[in-house]
Amino acid sequence: MLSKRVKYALAHLSHHQHIARLARPNLRRVQKGDRNILTSAFVVPRAALKCRPSKRIKIMSQPRNVNKKFDPTKAATGYPRIHPKTLNAQTSKRTVDLALPKRSIVVATKTFATGNKTMTIIIKDLLSRIHNSRYQKYRMLCNALARQRAAREAKQRKKLHMALSKPEDWTRHKEVLKRLAEPKPIPTPRVHTRGKWRKFDPTRVEFLSMPVTKDSPESRDPFKVPPSALTYVITKRIKEIAFKKNPPEYIPPKIPGAVSPAAVKAVASPRTIILAKPAVRPAGVETDLKEDAFSVPRQALKARCPPRIRRLARPKTYGKS
């Protein structure tokens, strides 16, 4: 897409004038000053005056040590503060279950409380709670798993004893155990040998400590034509764009009642044919006809025309008439 400058040049300038303007040197690119030299070194930029300090800058701008005066009203009390949620806390089921004693201890104390009714009631209550607690069930499950594991190990031990029935098997088994019982050899750590240290070069350090200077580019000759412009070959597209277009001076207006040739040659689709048919209604009901053709409904009288409908209600203009 052509820019506005090119369009203006094509409309108001000739081909020779346009090429002459493009051949002028751009003074902004030719005249460049030194970047390291400031015109006004003590002027604060406008952006620095208008900027708002961030939270981090406000924190960093405060002094390190601030001596605050002692205020007895704001001093802390001698006792630690207890949170209200801690005071209003309720024990959970897990805490209650963990607080229960072991079943073996309760059973042992049951023998000493044979004559005391209160103690027997308390012990029975504790035993029922221990029995119904989930940790007791978990303990029973763990004990059952331990018994299964012990039975499995005993079975494997029995199989091993049957497999090592001969004295030759026992000797081989002892050799394997002896080999497995030997400690693993500790690997020797690898020693990384570094190369020789490079000698200290003070000239290199001085060169690295020097500040970086920005050199201004060399000034160009504004009247020198580059060799690429001399050997340039114009393309066909640029030849076409270089000349002004001749638009038609007169556009004939459209006839309102005329049918376009595309509409005459168009073939209706099946969906269009279905939509073009009138709606099928029961006999005796004529909903399309109004008794009073000039009556206006109340909603139409109260309606307000939005700006979008006003814009759409304007007639279209086709070119110059």
Side-chain angles (χ1 to χ4, degrees):
M1 187 175 178
L2 297 175
S3 62
K4 292 182 179 180
R5 295 177 64 184
V6 176
K7 288 181 179 178
Y8 179 82
L10 292 174
H12 297 82
L13 302 175
S14 64
H15 182 68
H16 182 71
Q17 290 176 349
H18 190 201
I19 297 298
R21 288 203 175 189
L22 291 175
R24 291 180 183 176
N26 193 349
L27 298 178
R28 288 184 300 174
R29 298 179 181 177
V30 174
Q31 297 177 0
K32 289 187 178 180
D34 193 356
R35 297 179 183 177
N36 298 317
I37 298 173
L38 298 175
T39 54
S40 54
F42 301 99
V43 175
V44 182
R46 191 177 297 175
L49 295 172
K50 290 184 178 181
C51 73
R52 295 181 179 179
S54 60
K55 291 182 180 179
R56 179 63 181 166
I57 293 174
K58 288 180 180 178
I59 292 168
M60 296 294 290
S61 63
Q62 293 178 0
R64 287 188 177 181
N65 300 323
V66 179
N67 297 324
K68 295 182 179 180
K69 294 182 179 180
F70 177 74
D71 190 0
T73 58
K74 296 182 180 179
T77 57
Y79 302 99
R81 181 178 174 273
I82 301 172
H83 201 272
K85 290 185 178 180
T86 308
L87 297 172
N88 299 328
Q90 295 180 358
T91 54
S92 60
K93 291 182 179 180
R94 174 177 167 77
T95 309
V96 173
D97 291 345
L98 290 173
L100 292 172
K102 289 185 178 181
R103 188 174 181 279
S104 58
I105 298 171
V106 177
V107 172
T109 54
K110 188 179 180 181
T111 56
F112 300 102
T114 53
N116 195 345
K117 292 183 179 180
T118 309
M119 285 291 292
T120 52
I121 292 167
I122 293 169
I123 288 169
K124 283 182 180 179
D125 185 26
L126 280 173
L127 288 172
S128 64
R129 287 166 64 185
I130 290 167
H131 181 71
N132 295 327
S133 65
R134 54 180 176 176
Y135 295 100
Q136 180 66 19
K137 296 176 183 177
Y138 176 72
R139 199 176 293 114
M140 291 171 65
L141 181 63
C142 291
N143 293 336
L145 291 173
R147 286 194 295 271
Q148 290 178 6
R149 197 182 304 110
R152 202 181 301 114
E153 289 176 359
K155 192 175 180 181
Q156 290 177 358
R157 206 178 297 111
K158 188 177 180 181
K159 284 184 179 181
L160 182 64
H161 186 71
M162 291 173 65
L164 300 174
S165 58
K166 298 178 182 180
E168 299 172 357
D169 299 337
W170 278 104
T171 53
R172 188 174 65 254
H173 182 61
K174 287 179 180 179
E175 289 177 0
V176 172
L177 290 177
K178 188 178 180 180
R179 188 177 71 251
L180 293 173
E182 290 179 357
K184 290 184 179 180
I186 300 171
T188 55
R190 293 177 61 185
V191 180
H192 298 280
T193 56
R194 297 186 63 176
K196 294 182 179 180
W197 289 91
R198 191 168 54 184
K199 292 183 179 180
F200 175 70
D201 189 4
T203 56
R204 175 68 177 169
V205 177
E206 289 179 3
F207 176 74
L208 293 173
S209 63
M210 292 174 64
V212 180
T213 56
K214 297 179 182 179
D215 299 331
S216 57
E218 297 180 359
S219 58
R220 293 170 55 188
D221 187 6
F223 300 100
K224 184 180 179 181
V225 182
S228 59
L230 297 172
T231 58
Y232 176 72
V233 180
I234 193 168
T235 59
K236 294 181 181 180
R237 178 60 180 165
I238 294 177
K239 283 182 180 179
E240 294 175 1
I241 295 172
F243 295 98
K244 184 180 178 182
K245 292 182 179 180
N246 296 321
E249 297 180 357
Y250 175 73
I251 299 172
K254 285 189 176 182
I255 302 169
V259 183
S260 62
V264 174
K265 297 178 183 179
V267 179
S269 62
R271 178 62 179 166
T272 308
I273 294 168
I274 292 167
L275 293 173
K277 292 179 180 179
V280 180
R281 294 185 177 86
V285 180
E286 296 179 358
T287 55
D288 294 340
L289 301 177
K290 292 175 66 176
E291 295 180 359
D292 187 5
F294 301 98
S295 62
V296 183
R298 294 182 180 179
Q299 293 181 355
L301 294 171
K302 296 179 181 179
R304 293 183 180 180
C305 182
R308 173 66 177 166
I309 294 176
R310 289 180 186 174
R311 192 161 56 253
L312 293 173
R314 295 174 185 172
K316 286 186 178 181
T317 54
Y318 299 96
K320 297 179 181 179
S321 58

